[in-house]
């Protein structure tokens, strides 16, 4: 199995310039009581351009994580005109999601494998070749997140923050074009979360080849700190109710007046539009 | 003790702190011996007071009978032949329930249809006493040497299935989703996620099943065969000699202990070695992160 590595010709941005194209996506889940269906998305359309750090902001349970699962091909929509990643539809061409990597809310590490073993689990799954590259890749990314001395430890031996760092290594190590992150810092204490946010932005912004990040959160200040584009979603069925381009340099802090202004505005809109529908 | 250990990976409080755990280990061993010593002592008093050495053999008489077993003597042929025959039966009963237990257990744990299909069957098998299996099988197969292992397997298998099914059912969905997200093959998911997750359940099931198999095999042999430890027991019981009966019971107990300590324990330590790794990294790094 040969897999094109990011950076190879195959991965030129699609003509549209959008790494992710969701057009008229409808997704309905059967209700738990078996009566009818629960609409999560109705004719939802969203394009995400290459190299953007897009934050999906919305109330809990509005289907933000579901959207990432659709993009990663873990879920199939009820109907859709297109669910395209890098110009290829994930429904007919699931292999394209090898170029996406997923960081989950909890680290989801295999507790019987060392941190290194967990990262290798991902590399093996994605079929990264040649195998000799693994060491070099792992060395690089474990180094970047400061885990070099901990690769032989088991998840239960390290802190929650370090587990999440290892999960980030597992996702980044293959240098995927698209990174899907589902509230990756929400389980961590604020100090650790702030540090990881800073690291993530550094990691992302210093990469020569800009990767596309789709980051899900319900935390407005996190959204403003990270996103180049913030998309606000309403409760189910989720719709885009507000969009904000944040054209500020990183790293951003709350002390920065402009980001504070944006955050304030978003809070107002959030309370007004993304509240629970009657 | 075998059974207690088999109940599952009970973690001792304080395990991991080397010095303390060794001390408490010795203490535990000592405490464990107290009730047994008291029991033996009380029995000895009873035996002396009754002064009927065949029905109430004194501790010394039991030891003599046990010594005969140890050196291989026996009125019915070498005691080691009997031990061999019984061991072989236990091992085959265990092997049958191990293989079928894992296959059905995994299938039932992963598939609701299979679960509903076998659920009641498992309960039926659980409820039928091993003695009944022996009689049923003797009627069907005659006094066949395969009867004891089959009857024991039939008795032991349900608990094996239930434990393995519980394990298979509890494999977290989020790990499966993670694995699919990383495009792992079915084989990789099975060998690196599913199986390692299941191993502790399989070991727990193996230990309980083996301990039960040892106990039940004796019953099955007493009823259904002209050989093995069970046959010895029924022979000496028929002659109203209780010393050898108790000595053979002790022999079986030791067999069970040996297998648990020298086969299951090392396997468990090996496959769950990661659990015993000290949690020092988190503590030292806590201040940094």
């Amino acid at each position: 199995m040969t897999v094109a590595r990011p950076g190879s010709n195959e991965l030129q941005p699609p003509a549209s310039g959008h790494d992710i194209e969701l057009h008229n996506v409808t997704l309905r889940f059967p209700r738990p009581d078996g009566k009818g269906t629960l609409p999560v998305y109705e004719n939802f359309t969203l394009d995400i351009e290459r190299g953007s750090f897009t934050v999906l902001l919305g109330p809990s349970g509005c289907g933000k994580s579901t959207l990432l699962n659709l993009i990663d091909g873990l879920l199939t929509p009820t109907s859709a005109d297109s669910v395209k990643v890098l110009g290829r539809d994930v429904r007919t061409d699931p292999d394209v999601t090898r170029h996406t990597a997923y960081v989950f809310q909890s680290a989801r590490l295999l507790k019987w494998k060392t941190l290194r073993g967990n990262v290798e689990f991902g590399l093996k799954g994605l079929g990264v070749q040649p195998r000799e590259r693994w060491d070099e890749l792992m060395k690089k990314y474990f180094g970047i997140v400061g885990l070099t001395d901990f690769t032989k430890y088991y998840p239960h031996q390290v802190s929650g923050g370090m587990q999440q760092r290892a999960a980030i290594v597992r996702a980044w190590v293959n240098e995927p074009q698209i990174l899907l992150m589902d509230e990756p810092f929400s389980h961590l204490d604020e100090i650790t979360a702030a540090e990881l946010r800073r690291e993530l932005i550094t990691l992302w912004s210093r990469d020569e080849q800009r990767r596309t990040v789709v980051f899900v959160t319900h935390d407005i200040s996190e959204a403003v700190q990270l996103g180049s584009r913030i998309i606000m979603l309403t409760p189910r069925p989720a719709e885009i109710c507000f969009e904000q381009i944040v054209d500020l340099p990183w790293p951003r802090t709350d002390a920065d007046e402009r980001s504070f202004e944006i955050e304030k505005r978003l809070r107002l809109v959030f309370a007004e539009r993304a509240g629970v529908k009657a | 003790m075998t059974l207690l250990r088999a109940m599952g990976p009970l973690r001792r409080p304080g395990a991991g702190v080397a010095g303390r755990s060794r001390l408490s280990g010795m203490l535990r061993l000592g405490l464990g011996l107290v009730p047994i010593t008291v029991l033996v002592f009380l029995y000895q008093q009873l035996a002396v007071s009754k002064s009927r050495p065949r029905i109430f053999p004194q501790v010394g008489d039991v030891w003599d009978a046990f010594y005969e077993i140890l050196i291989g003597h026996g009125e019915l042929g070498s005691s080691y032949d009997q031990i061999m025959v019984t061991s072989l039966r236990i091992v085959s009963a265990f092997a049958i329930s191990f293989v079928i237990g894992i296959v059905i257990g995994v299938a039932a744990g992963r598939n609701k249809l299979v679960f509903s299909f076998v659920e009641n069957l498992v309960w039926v098998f659980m409820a039928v006493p091993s003695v009944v299996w022996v009689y049923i099988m003797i009627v069907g197969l005659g006094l066949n040497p395969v009867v004891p292992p089959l009857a024991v397997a039939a008795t032991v298998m349900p608990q094996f299935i239930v434990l393995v099914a519980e394990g298979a059912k509890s494999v977290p969905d989020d790990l499966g989703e993670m694995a699919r997200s990383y495009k792992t093959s079915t084989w990789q998911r099975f060998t690196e996620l599913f199986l390692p997750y299941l191993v502790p359940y399989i070991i727990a099931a193996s230990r309980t099943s083996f301990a039960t198999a040892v106990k039940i095999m004796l019953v099955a042999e007493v009823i259904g065969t002209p050989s093995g430890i069970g046959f010895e027991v029924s022979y000496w019981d028929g002659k109203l000699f209780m010393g050898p009966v108790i000595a053979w019971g002790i022999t079986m107990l030791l067999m069970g202990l040996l297998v648990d300590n020298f086969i299951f324990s090392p396997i468990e330590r090996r496959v769950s070695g990661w659990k015993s790794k000290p949690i020092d990294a988190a503590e030292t790094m806590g201040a940094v992160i």
Side-chain angles (χ1 to χ4, degrees), chain B residues 7-29:
Chain B
M7 298 293 271
L10 294 173
R11 297 266 136 222
R12 267 177 287 127
V17 186
R20 218 169 84 200
S21 87
R22 198 180 307 137
L23 190 76
S24 80
M26 302 249 302
L27 198 70
R28 260 163 22 102
L29 192 69

Side-chain angles (χ1 to χ4, degrees), chain B residues 5 33 39 54-57 74 86 129 155 176 178 196 218 228 230 238 244 264 282:
Chain B
R5 284 161 154 272
L33 284 176
L39 215 65
R54 279 173 73 157
I55 310 290
F56 293 99
T86 301
T155 318
M178 180 277 292
L218 199 77
F264 289 129

Side-chain angles (χ1 to χ4, degrees), chain A residues 83-148:
Chain A
V83 187
K84 281 187 181 167
V85 166
L86 303 170
R88 286 144 70 181
D89 202 300
V90 298
R91 290 170 296 173
T92 52
D93 196 355
D95 230 31
V96 72
T97 57
R98 284 176 192 276
H99 301 291
T100 64
Y102 207 140
V103 180
F104 303 91
Q105 201 164 356
S106 56
R108 300 198 190 178
L109 300 174
L110 304 176
K111 53 187 178 176
W112 50 87
K113 283 181 184 286
T114 59
L115 300 188
R116 187 191 159 89
N118 270 284
V119 173
E120 282 176 341
F121 181 81
L123 285 167
K124 186 174 168 189
L126 292 167
V128 176
Q129 299 290 344
R131 220 182 153 117
E132 293 75 55
R133 258 184 87 228
W134 290 16
D135 277 335
E136 169 205 332
L137 285 169
M138 280 193 283
K139 198 175 165 211
K140 178 177 170 191
Y141 285 96
F142 272 125
I144 288 175
V145 302
L147 284 181
T148 306

